Amino acid sequence: MKNGLGGKKKSEKEKKPALRTKAPASSFFVSCVGFLLLGTIFLFPFAATAAPAGEAPMIPIPILQMSLTPADSPQDVALGLQIIALMTVLSLAPAILLMMTSFTRLLIVLGFVQRAIGLQQTPPQQVIVGLALFLTLFTMYPTWNQIYERGLAPYMAGSINAEQAWTETITPVRDFMFRYTRQHELSLMISMANIEEPQDRDDVPTRVLIPAFVLSELKTAFQMGVVIYIPFLIVDMVVASILLSMGMMMLPPMMISLPFKLLLFIMADGWNLVVMSLLKSFANV
């Protein structure tokens, strides 16, 4: 009997390792099959090349080569410099385009709202930037519609040349920037550029107009941010005074005032008010 029981126990112990080794073997087999399938998919285009009759098809391995060759003419040098300049402009194009739109004001004011309430990570920064971007699309639609109708559509149709298309494209953008550029900032940039006093808008260079527009947008955004901060600042002062009168000097006022500021913002329908104020600050909306 003992031998029988002992034999059963030994057989059970011998079976357990066999059960443990099955899972790794199956997973290894599945991974090998997966690698074979991936290799077949990626190498199949290269295997499609024709091979001589009677020989096994060869799978070519691609080679990446980089070399510098001397220029044969000044035009080759100019072409290389143009390509480098184009790549540089394309990398900076998003920032340049956003600076010439309403995106700056929208993003700064929405950031003021987030910090005035006291929420550092709510809503996330990606949400704030996305909202500012879509509001930019909303406010800039009339300008971009004029750009398409006056510049891009005729140029693609072949009715105007590149120079005329550039003039018709930049004119609506300049009109938009002139509409929201203060005279003080524009005079500052004109004096710093050391150019003659322009007689009309056409005499103002675009390189002078863009920084003046950005400065005006920053000033407007900070003015709106101060107005947004005042109600929440009053709530913080009231809560701090109450805690001080109750002798709770070690209790942070921000922790107590945060629920009250959130309640005030929700009851006043804060997001709608902020967005409506931002959109009304642009006269063409």
Side-chain angles (χ1 to χ4, degrees):
M1 296 294 290
K2 291 182 179 180
N3 293 332
L5 293 175
K8 291 181 179 179
K9 290 182 179 179
K10 289 181 180 179
S11 61
E12 290 177 358
K13 291 180 180 179
E14 291 176 355
K15 290 179 181 178
K16 289 182 180 179
L19 293 175
R20 292 177 183 174
T21 55
K22 285 182 181 179
S26 61
S27 62
F28 177 75
F29 176 74
V30 172
S31 61
C32 290
V33 173
F35 281 119
L36 289 175
L37 290 175
L38 289 177
T40 303
I41 292 172
F42 284 109
L43 294 178
F44 181 76
F46 300 104
T49 56
E55 295 184 4
M58 301 296 293
I59 300 177
I61 299 176
I63 300 175
L64 179 62
Q65 294 181 351
M66 297 182 66
S67 61
L68 296 176
T69 57
D72 297 331
S73 62
Q75 288 78 10
D76 295 338
V77 180
L79 180 60
L81 295 177
Q82 289 176 1
I83 293 175
I84 294 174
L86 179 61
M87 296 300 294
T88 304
V89 171
L90 288 178
S91 62
L92 299 176
I96 296 173
L97 292 177
L98 292 177
M99 284 296 179
M100 298 168 63
T101 62
S102 58
F103 181 78
T104 303
R105 184 192 306 185
L106 296 170
L107 182 62
I108 293 176
V109 172
L110 293 176
F112 267 112
V113 173
Q114 185 182 28
R115 288 165 179 80
I117 299 175
L119 301 173
Q120 301 300 325
Q121 300 295 333
T122 305
Q125 193 64 26
Q126 292 84 352
V127 176
I128 297 296
V129 175
L131 179 60
L133 184 60
F134 280 105
L135 290 177
T136 302
L137 296 175
F138 183 82
T139 55
M140 294 296 297
Y141 175 77
T143 302
W144 288 338
N145 191 29
Q146 293 179 8
I147 291 173
Y148 178 78
E149 292 180 352
R150 297 180 183 179
L152 294 180
Y155 178 72
M156 290 186 294
S159 58
I160 59 176
N161 56 23
E163 184 178 357
Q164 294 174 343
W166 168 254
T167 302
E168 295 295 334
T169 300
I170 198 64
T171 300
V173 179
R174 284 173 55 90
D175 293 340
F176 175 82
M177 290 190 290
F178 270 118
R179 192 180 303 120
Y180 301 107
T181 301
R182 289 183 172 85
Q183 185 66 33
H184 179 71
E185 281 76 13
L186 186 59
S187 301
L188 173 65
M189 297 309 302
I190 290 174
S191 62
M192 296 299 294
N194 295 324
I195 60 176
E196 297 181 357
E197 184 177 356
Q199 301 298 324
D200 53 8
R201 290 185 174 183
D202 296 335
D203 297 335
V204 179
T206 305
R207 63 181 179 88
V208 175
L209 177 60
I210 292 176
F213 170 75
V214 174
L215 290 175
S216 299
E217 289 294 288
L218 289 174
K219 184 175 182 179
T220 303
F222 273 73
Q223 289 176 348
M224 299 180 69
V226 170
V227 176
I228 292 172
Y229 248 101
I230 291 176
F232 301 104
L233 182 61
I234 294 174
V235 174
D236 288 333
M237 293 176 62
V238 171
V239 172
S241 300
I242 294 174
L243 293 177
L244 184 62
S245 63
M246 296 176 63
M248 299 180 180
M249 293 176 292
M250 302 300 295
L251 189 63
M254 291 293 296
M255 184 176 64
I256 305 300
S257 63
L258 180 59
F260 293 99
K261 290 191 290 187
L262 286 175
L263 183 62
L264 175 64
F265 190 73
I266 293 172
M267 293 179 62
D269 203 2
W271 287 115
N272 286 346
L273 290 177
V274 171
V275 172
M276 182 178 62
S277 301
L278 284 171
L279 296 180
K280 285 187 175 181
S281 64
F282 297 98
N284 60 337
V285 178

